[in-house]
Amino acid sequence: MAVETMVAGKHAMVEVPAALTIEEAWLLVDTAEQTQMNCMMLENVCYGRDELMALNMVRMGLLGDLLHGEASYIHELRWQMKEIDRKTGSWRTQWHAIRDANLYPTHGLGPVAQYMNINRGDRFDYLNSMSSPALGRAAYAEREFPEGHQRNRLNYIAGDINTSLIKTVKGRTIMVQHDTTTPRPYTRHNHIQGTNGVFAGFPNRIALEEGGRKSYHEWDYDMDYWYERYDHPLWRRMGEVAERNGGHGGMDFLMFWRLVYCLRNGQPLDQDVYDAAAWSAVTPLSEASVKNRGDSVDFPDFSRGAWKTGTPLGVVS
């Protein structure tokens, strides 16, 4: 759909992930370059208040030089298996019987990639991935559905927890986890570590060697202090309107508002087709790594070297 849209001379805005295979990712890149149309993956989490504040903190040097990030999609969704004929569970459940991989990486990874200037001064180099046993979906199906039900006939192969580790060309590391099966609280981690300290989410907390209010051996959970000083200018301007209009706490509205603003004013979008390809590539690359005992798998350079001179995503004023 996205390829046909660009060929028709229109910009393409795509749900996550934008591609399910490396070949599809390259097709998006090639088509965007050939048609000169935008192809933006609609990663709404990049427009959350906390993610925007962390980006602002990073850009202002509060955390020092970046070293490591942690990202996740940990969201217990076994109940979706009861959506048989329609809604998300009607198709999403099948993927647990098709691929043993990090099935949904972009919510946690997108913001961390932006903190680290991925495709804009650095890029993903290679990935290692391992999965836990796949036990939870089968157990849930046995408990919740009658014997012989289609959910009990599926062979669930996706490990309940997948952990993937990305190394960037500049040597930074990013842990990306996926778990929609085990009983545990929701988290995207949103963890970014630098030489001067760390910001982490769920719950939000910060620890700094210099510039903090406590010892870096102790978490500071009082976010009001940090919002006052480091709230992203876009959220300061539009946050109240975004929250009022809703969509995952306002991030959906802010994403669409920003997208339209950039198109109307001829500005580059905050995410481009190279981001869509690289962030989405985690799924097929993790599948390949899991199949090969966690061996490293190289990321393609979707930007064909342009990442070396790419302009880092700025803090929108």
Side-chain angles (χ1 to χ4, degrees):
M1 292 167 64
V3 168
E4 291 185 5
T5 297
M6 289 185 282
V7 170
K10 305 293 183 182
H11 301 300
M13 311 302 163
V14 194
E15 250 291 8
V16 301
L20 297 174
T21 67
I22 298 300
E23 293 74 21
E24 287 180 354
W26 272 118
L27 184 57
L28 288 175
V29 169
D30 291 341
T31 306
E33 291 180 343
Q34 291 162 8
T35 62
Q36 289 297 288
M37 292 291 112
N38 285 296
C39 179
M40 174 176 161
M41 184 169 64
L42 297 173
E43 186 39 79
N44 58 345
V45 173
C46 292
Y47 296 89
R49 182 183 187 183
D50 299 323
E51 287 78 8
L52 285 173
M53 181 174 71
L55 177 64
N56 195 22
M57 288 176 168
V58 167
R59 290 295 181 267
M60 296 181 73
L62 187 66
L63 303 183
D65 294 327
L66 299 187
L67 304 167
H68 173 76
E70 296 181 10
S72 74
Y73 186 71
I74 294 175
H75 189 188
E76 192 278 308
L77 294 174
R78 290 172 298 175
W79 55 270
Q80 287 186 343
M81 294 170 67
K82 296 182 179 180
E83 298 172 343
I84 305 298
D85 297 318
R86 58 188 300 271
K87 296 187 177 181
T88 308
S90 64
W91 57 266
R92 197 172 196 168
T93 302
Q94 311 302 319
W95 283 105
H96 290 265
I98 296 172
R99 307 181 87 162
D100 186 6
N102 199 308
L103 295 175
Y104 200 63
T106 71
H107 280 336
L109 181 59
V112 172
Q114 290 189 332
Y115 307 154
M116 290 188 175
N117 293 330
I118 298 302
N119 295 328
R120 296 167 175 83
D122 198 358
R123 74 171 181 89
F124 299 150
D125 191 3
Y126 59 89
L127 171 150
N128 301 79
S129 185
M130 289 184 286
S131 291
S132 75
L135 302 177
R137 296 264 166 175
Y140 184 85
E142 183 179 11
R143 184 176 77 233
E144 298 293 330
F145 298 97
E147 186 178 357
H149 190 278
Q150 60 180 284
R151 293 298 191 230
N152 278 309
R153 295 198 301 271
L154 284 176
N155 178 27
Y156 301 98
I157 64 171
D160 292 353
I161 304 171
N162 175 276
T163 302
S164 301
L165 189 63
I166 298 172
K167 187 81 165 178
T168 77
V169 170
K170 288 193 171 182
R172 297 159 174 158
T173 52
I174 308 172
M175 183 190 73
V176 188
Q177 286 190 318
H178 175 270
D179 175 7
T180 60
T181 299
T182 67
R184 57 191 295 191
Y186 179 91
T187 180
R188 295 189 300 270
H189 289 343
N190 194 31
H191 175 117
I192 186 70
Q193 176 73 55
T195 54
N196 188 52
V198 58
F199 176 87
F202 301 89
N204 288 332
R205 55 205 189 276
I206 189 169
L208 301 174
E209 184 167 33
E210 296 183 7
R213 298 185 301 162
K214 299 182 178 182
S215 163
Y216 58 84
H217 293 291
E218 183 180 356
W219 287 111
D220 182 354
Y221 291 93
D222 181 8
M223 283 297 108
D224 288 339
Y225 174 87
W226 299 102
Y227 286 138
E228 183 179 345
R229 287 157 179 79
Y230 292 98
D231 238 346
H232 192 284
L234 186 60
W235 192 268
R236 289 186 189 275
R237 176 184 177 186
M238 297 295 299
E240 184 178 340
V241 176
E243 289 179 326
R244 187 166 65 246
N245 284 275
H248 295 94
M251 64 175 65
D252 295 358
F253 174 86
L254 196 59
M255 174 179 67
F256 290 126
W257 183 92
R258 174 70 180 158
L259 187 160
V260 172
Y261 179 89
C262 289
L263 291 176
R264 283 181 172 176
N265 290 277
Q267 296 186 8
L269 300 181
D270 300 327
Q271 302 168 39
D272 58 27
V273 70
Y274 307 115
D275 298 322
W279 303 355
S280 299
V282 170
T283 295
L285 294 180
S286 66
E287 182 179 34
S289 180
V290 167
K291 286 180 179 178
N292 201 26
R293 295 170 55 87
D295 279 1
S296 62
V297 182
D298 290 341
F299 275 85
D301 179 4
F302 292 107
S303 75
R304 298 184 175 93
W307 65 271
K308 298 176 184 178
T309 56
T311 303
L313 180 67
V315 174
V316 179
S317 63

